[in-house]
Amino acid sequence: MFKHNLLISFRSFKRFKGTFLINLFGLASGLACTFLIYLWVSDEMNTDKFYENEDRIYQILSNRIDNGQIVTRTSMPGRLSEELMARFPEVEAASMVWTPEIFGTKGYVTLEEEQIRARPQYVNPAYIQVTSLPLVSGNTKTALKNESDVLISESLAIKLYGTTENLIGNTIDWNESRATTGVYMIAGVFKNLPKNSTLQFDLLLNVEVMMKAYKYMENWGNTNPDALVLLKEGASPDDFNKKIEKLIQSKVQKSKTTLFAQKFSERYLNGNYENGEVAGGRIAYVNLFSIVALIILVIACINFMNLSTAKAASRLKEIGVKKAIGAQRRTLIGQYFTESFLLTFLGVVIAFIIVNAILPQFNQATGKSLSVNLSLKELGFIGLIMLITGILAGSYPALYLSRLKTTESLKGKLVKNFSELMVRKGLVVFQFAVSVILIFSVLIISKQVDYIQKKNLGYDRNNVVKFDNTGIDDSAYEGFLASLETISGVISTASTGHDLTGDHGSTRLSWPGQDPDQNFQFINLEMSSGFIETMGIELIQGRTFERNRQNEEGKIIFNETAIKLMGLKDPIGKVIKLWGDEREIIGVVKDFHAESLYETIQPTLIQAYPILNSTIVKIQGGTIANTLGQIEDKFKEFSKGLPFEYKFLDTDYMAMYKSEQRISMLSKFFAAVAIIISCLGLLGLTIFTAERRTKEIGIRKVLGSGNWRIVRLLSMDFTKMVTLSLLIGLPTSYLMAERWLQGFAYGTKLTPMYSIFCGVFILAIAWFTVGFHTLKAARRNPVTTLRSE
């Protein structure tokens, strides 16, 4: 019987080529989307899950009250790991982790004439134990014990030496900044980090190098690096959290900072916090796209059911003959399920072809490196999807057609059942309601991304280039800036220690007339003279920092919000206290955004330092290519030939919104697929309706109805269904969009135009889908439709 069912299925596919191709394309599209989302979700869920003791590795975080709100941060005092090891017996190992992102810089490894850009990470020797870092060579117990030790990755070893063997004891020149530049001895080689690791680095150095360079980190009131701990087996994280909660308060008087530990592997997906508690994060997108995958698969199965029942009239006699010669219902059910599973199998094959074809573009859109490996896990998922899809897609036609009475089947009559018709219509309403939600979401996300790009930030990020000062001696830096300003295309220059994309310090200070209960946190921007002019920040009162003036390090500039918060009138000339030193206020600038648009503008101070980690250059429009070439020449001259690598600030700014941009691209893709599949579903119902009303159409034509009147008659039901979809989908979309936009302190406004556009777009697509087939049905010769069977 199985062979017979396969033969019948192939004959059915061949006979009804149009229905078969529509079904196959719909299923393949839905399955392809499901597979792509599965690959993405699987990669997201497995990020940072590769550690040997993943369930015992925790990151220490802090909660503190900043300006009336509880703010959760990862930065810790420099000696925290040592204190945790000394005071808490449940800690097996602990390490500070000074990542390259803290200062936004990379460095160069130099070996003879070879110069390779590399990402450093500064850690305690215990980091190897905490993360069970696998070494290709070297001793895990003694590596990094000395401040001059360095561990390098396999890939960096291959680039430098062409091998990973016999490298221990060799030396390399490390050139990152004036703080850490020097000669280091290779103490080992570690295996390349997995792509799903959030910590990515090419070499590991001893954290003491950074602690000596930034001595302020010895103070428990200052923070910068992260802290990881490995808890002993059986240790209770809850008990540990209770013990460490007030550790900072025991070190810093009047501190209200509290500590807590969160499992490190959970932070990637759950990195958002509200009122000091974990409040989701990327997990929301994982859940969202998992639901999208399920919905797309369901609407693809709905199409199969609608198209199968739409073609039922053409196969009724086949069913009647089989029943007349003794075929049982289970035999017919088996036949239709065979057809369903065969179509699903073909859909899976085509889906894989589609996935492999578009995976490079999908990776580019998501920033991933996904691949189809067909592991046991993936094969199991594919098998499960085939089973679910085959049952979902084949259940309704199998159960519906197999129960038709023999006499009705032989007459070629479908049972007129109101509830069944409403089920089919309800499924189409569901499909289009989903499409409405996806289209509305695409509109809002795209509009918000556009708003982000065009928002007036209070500074001009256009044509501003930024690069590290690596390799330039402090004594030569002022000469370097002066030489840059001799280039005709250079408008202005400055040195920066922070940026305006969330990379900044924060601090507290005291001012004249301060209420003892006021304890505000200020954003701390460390810049050189020329920064305000280069960034186009508007000066409201006083003056900016000047390069030729003496003692500019003793001056300070605030933004409007800071001055209002401190309640200072006529602030110019007043003196505040910062880190125990007096600073004179010399200027007030208009508010500008130093963080993402998720955050409101915070009180901000700007300090002047002559030399910092990076340089920014404002370039005259229309001269960028030529000017960058001249800047590169100057950089190589002063850095002794180091490669020149730069980035534009507008690129840096948009990098803060990578998730939003990727979600926008993915939403567009999945919305397009959902619309196509929904239209196929509507086409299926159109075919079904036309089949049922063939004789009615013939009678109406004989009585004088024109083609367009019949088209309008047939389209009316579909218009009602799509309208109902809009009534369901638009309010739901509005509520979802409103909730998403609430996450931004500054965002686009929801207007009725979005709903109007979405409604017109959906109706136009529906009418276009229905119009062709209804016109075809209306133009059929009534003699053909009314003839006796």
Side-chain angles (χ1 to χ4, degrees):
M1 284 303 296
F2 178 70
K3 182 179 179 182
H4 170 76
N5 287 340
L6 282 179
L7 182 62
I8 294 297
S9 297
F10 279 118
R11 286 177 177 174
S12 174
F13 295 160
K14 185 177 180 181
R15 182 182 177 192
F16 304 107
K17 295 183 183 69
T19 304
F20 167 69
L21 290 175
I22 289 174
N23 258 333
L24 185 61
F25 179 74
L27 270 179
S29 300
L31 289 167
C33 285
T34 303
F35 293 152
L36 285 171
I37 293 175
Y38 167 77
L39 291 173
W40 182 79
V41 168
S42 179
D43 187 80
E44 292 283 286
M45 296 293 290
N46 287 312
T47 296
D48 288 335
K49 296 291 178 68
F50 59 88
Y51 294 103
E52 183 178 328
N53 298 309
E54 173 262 327
D55 61 325
R56 295 192 286 129
I57 301 174
Y58 285 78
Q59 182 166 359
I60 308 299
L61 296 96
S62 68
N63 285 328
R64 67 185 186 193
I65 299 176
D66 286 352
N67 308 333
Q69 296 180 334
I70 298 178
V71 178
T72 302
R73 299 185 184 276
T74 62
S75 57
M76 294 289 131
R79 295 300 179 189
L80 178 64
S81 62
E82 298 171 8
E83 189 73 11
L84 292 173
M85 285 289 295
R87 289 183 55 173
F88 303 102
E90 53 265 82
V91 175
E92 184 173 319
S95 174
M96 305 313 296
V97 180
W98 215 307
T99 64
E101 287 76 18
I102 289 179
F103 293 114
T105 61
K106 296 181 183 178
Y108 290 94
V109 175
T110 304
L111 181 66
E112 296 177 353
E113 299 299 321
E114 191 76 21
Q115 293 178 327
I116 298 174
R117 190 79 154 159
R119 294 166 295 184
Q121 185 163 282
Y122 298 84
V123 298
N124 296 96
Y127 179 82
I128 300 172
Q129 182 182 355
V130 172
T131 61
S132 301
L133 184 72
L135 299 185
V136 177
S137 62
N139 189 322
T140 57
K141 295 182 179 179
T142 60
L144 296 183
K145 289 291 184 183
N146 300 316
E147 292 179 26
S148 59
D149 285 351
V150 63
L151 295 176
I152 63 174
S153 68
E154 285 180 295
S155 58
L156 183 58
I158 295 295
K159 290 177 183 177
L160 289 171
Y161 300 98
T163 181
T164 60
E165 298 178 358
N166 302 319
L167 300 182
I168 295 177
N170 288 3
T171 59
I172 58 173
D173 287 326
W174 172 241
N175 197 332
E176 180 189 12
S177 67
R178 60 185 183 277
T180 61
T181 294
V183 177
Y184 293 85
M185 185 178 71
I186 297 175
V189 178
F190 59 86
K191 288 187 177 181
N192 290 332
L193 299 166
K195 292 179 180 177
N196 61 348
S197 172
T198 54
L199 296 176
Q200 294 288 341
F201 48 89
D202 302 304
L203 63 165
L204 282 178
L205 300 103
N206 195 310
V207 75
E208 292 302 320
V209 175
M210 293 295 275
M211 292 297 292
K212 287 185 176 180
Y214 299 95
K215 292 188 178 296
Y216 64 83
M217 286 306 302
E218 298 284 350
N219 187 324
W220 279 84
N222 292 325
T223 60
N224 245 336
D226 297 339
L228 294 181
V229 299
L230 177 67
L231 296 183
K232 292 180 179 178
E233 290 188 14
S236 168
D238 292 334
D239 292 343
F240 179 62
N241 274 333
K242 291 176 183 177
K243 289 183 178 182
I244 67 172
E245 183 179 8
K246 297 186 178 181
L247 176 59
I248 301 297
Q249 296 177 25
S250 69
K251 298 288 185 179
V252 182
Q253 289 185 353
K254 298 182 179 180
S255 173
K256 295 182 180 180
T257 298
T258 58
L259 299 181
F260 70 97
Q262 182 183 358
K263 189 178 289 186
F264 178 69
S265 60
E266 293 179 354
R267 287 208 64 247
Y268 177 74
L269 292 178
N270 297 277
N272 290 351
Y273 306 89
E274 290 181 7
N275 296 319
E277 300 288 338
V278 178
R282 293 177 67 91
I283 189 65
Y285 292 127
V286 169
N287 294 335
L288 171 65
F289 282 114
S290 298
I291 294 171
V292 168
L294 178 62
I295 290 174
I296 288 178
L297 187 61
V298 167
I299 62 178
C301 293
I302 288 171
N303 283 356
F304 184 97
M305 292 186 283
N306 276 341
L307 287 167
S308 295
T309 50
K311 280 297 178 186
S314 304
R315 303 185 65 178
L316 290 179
K317 289 186 179 179
E318 172 194 333
I319 296 169
V321 169
K322 285 188 174 183
K323 282 194 169 187
I325 61 176
Q328 297 182 355
R329 188 183 180 193
R330 65 173 178 270
T331 304
L332 296 174
I333 291 174
Q335 175 189 326
Y336 284 106
F337 271 123
T338 300
E339 188 173 314
S340 171
F341 280 108
L342 179 58
L343 188 62
T344 302
F345 174 76
L346 294 174
V348 167
V349 172
I350 295 176
F352 264 94
I353 295 173
I354 295 172
V355 167
N356 281 292
I358 67 174
L359 196 55
Q361 290 75 23
F362 187 78
N363 281 334
Q364 187 176 2
T366 58
K368 297 281 188 182
S369 299
L370 306 175
S371 60
V372 180
N373 298 318
L374 293 182
S375 62
L376 287 177
K377 184 179 179 181
E378 289 184 355
L379 288 173
F381 175 77
I382 293 167
L384 179 63
I385 289 296
M386 284 183 63
L387 179 64
I388 294 173
T389 304
I391 293 174
L392 281 176
S395 59
Y396 187 75
L399 299 174
Y400 170 68
L401 296 176
S402 64
R403 71 179 174 81
L404 293 175
K405 294 180 180 178
T406 305
T407 53
E408 291 172 340
S409 299
L410 289 171
K411 290 178 182 179
K413 293 182 178 179
L414 284 170
V415 178
K416 294 183 178 180
N417 189 312
F418 176 77
S419 63
E420 289 173 358
L421 185 60
M422 292 310 295
V423 167
R424 281 189 289 277
K425 288 184 176 182
L427 293 175
V428 173
V429 169
F430 169 77
Q431 286 179 310
F432 271 86
V434 170
S435 297
V436 169
I437 293 171
L438 288 174
I439 292 171
F440 197 94
S441 300
V442 167
L443 282 174
I444 296 303
I445 295 172
S446 298
K447 196 69 178 177
Q448 179 63 13
V449 171
D450 185 60
Y451 176 87
I452 288 168
Q453 291 174 327
K454 296 179 179 178
K455 176 78 168 67
N456 181 2
L457 302 172
Y459 64 88
D460 183 9
R461 65 181 187 272
N462 295 317
N463 301 334
V464 179
V465 67
K466 179 182 179 181
F467 52 88
D468 298 342
N469 295 333
T470 303
I472 302 176
D473 294 335
D474 289 357
S475 58
Y477 187 70
E478 286 190 16
F480 171 64
L481 289 186
S483 70
L484 290 181
E485 292 176 352
T486 63
I487 300 173
S488 60
V490 171
I491 298 174
S492 60
T493 65
S495 186
T496 70
H498 298 117
D499 61 31
L500 302 182
T501 58
D503 174 23
H504 56 71
S506 59
T507 188
R508 303 180 192 276
L509 51 85
S510 58
W511 60 90
Q514 179 182 6
D515 188 319
D517 294 329
Q518 289 179 319
N519 193 16
F520 299 114
Q521 194 79 14
F522 291 74
I523 288 177
N524 172 35
L525 296 178
E526 297 176 358
M527 309 295 181
S528 75
S529 57
F531 168 76
I532 292 173
E533 291 81 359
T534 300
M535 296 307 303
I537 298 173
E538 184 179 342
L539 182 70
I540 298 176
Q541 297 181 53
R543 66 174 180 87
T544 61
F545 299 114
E546 297 176 8
R547 194 169 294 171
N548 297 323
R549 281 202 184 221
Q550 298 294 318
N551 193 32
E552 290 292 75
E553 291 87 344
K555 314 299 182 185
I556 199 165
I557 295 174
F558 288 100
N559 70 345
E560 292 176 288
T561 297
I563 296 299
K564 290 176 183 176
L565 186 143
M566 292 186 289
L568 296 179
K569 296 181 179 180
D570 300 322
I572 305 302
K574 286 189 169 57
V575 176
I576 60 95
K577 273 197 173 183
L578 175 65
W579 305 335
D581 298 327
E582 292 187 343
R583 302 289 183 93
E584 179 189 352
I585 302 175
I586 62 168
V588 179
V589 295
K590 193 171 183 179
D591 281 341
F592 58 92
H593 291 270
E595 299 178 297
S596 76
L597 297 182
Y598 284 103
E599 312 295 337
T600 57
I601 292 177
Q602 298 296 310
T604 303
L605 63 88
I606 304 174
Q607 299 186 69
Y609 291 87
I611 306 172
L612 293 157
N613 293 329
S614 303
T615 297
I616 57 172
V617 181
K618 180 75 170 180
I619 299 176
Q620 186 176 347
T623 68
I624 292 176
N626 181 55
T627 303
L628 280 174
Q630 296 182 65
I631 293 173
E632 180 176 5
D633 292 339
K634 297 289 187 184
F635 178 84
K636 288 185 175 180
E637 176 186 341
F638 281 83
S639 67
K640 303 176 184 66
L642 286 181
F644 177 63
E645 295 186 11
Y646 64 90
K647 53 187 174 182
F648 285 95
L649 287 195
D650 53 357
T651 304
D652 243 11
Y653 172 73
M654 289 309 299
M656 288 194 295
Y657 307 99
K658 279 183 181 178
S659 294
E660 289 73 23
Q661 294 174 69
R662 288 169 180 167
I663 294 303
S664 177
M665 295 176 69
L666 291 176
S667 298
K668 290 175 183 176
F669 173 73
F670 294 128
V673 173
I675 290 169
I676 291 171
I677 297 176
S678 297
C679 288
L680 291 175
L682 190 59
L683 179 62
L685 196 59
T686 305
I687 294 171
F688 179 80
T689 303
E691 292 284 353
R692 291 186 61 132
R693 302 179 71 174
T694 298
K695 285 187 170 58
E696 176 191 341
I697 293 169
I699 293 170
R700 287 181 180 275
K701 291 199 72 173
V702 169
L703 295 176
S705 289
N707 290 341
W708 289 109
R709 187 171 182 180
I710 293 173
V711 169
R712 187 171 67 251
L713 174 70
L714 293 176
S715 301
M716 189 58 64
D717 282 345
F718 305 122
T719 302
K720 291 177 181 177
M721 284 188 287
V722 176
T723 303
L724 181 58
S725 300
L726 290 171
L727 292 176
I728 295 171
L730 287 177
T732 305
S733 305
Y734 185 91
L735 293 174
M736 291 173 63
E738 188 175 45
R739 183 174 180 181
W740 182 70
L741 288 172
Q742 283 175 353
F744 293 88
Y746 306 90
T748 188
K749 303 297 182 184
L750 291 174
T751 67
M753 287 305 298
Y754 296 126
S755 299
I756 293 171
F757 175 83
C758 192
V760 171
F761 184 72
I762 286 289
L763 284 171
I765 289 176
W767 287 333
F768 178 80
T769 303
V770 171
F772 175 77
H773 196 80
T774 53
L775 182 60
K776 179 181 176 182
R779 294 177 67 179
R780 290 176 65 183
N781 191 332
V783 175
T784 303
T785 57
L786 292 174
R787 69 183 178 182
S788 176
E789 294 293 336

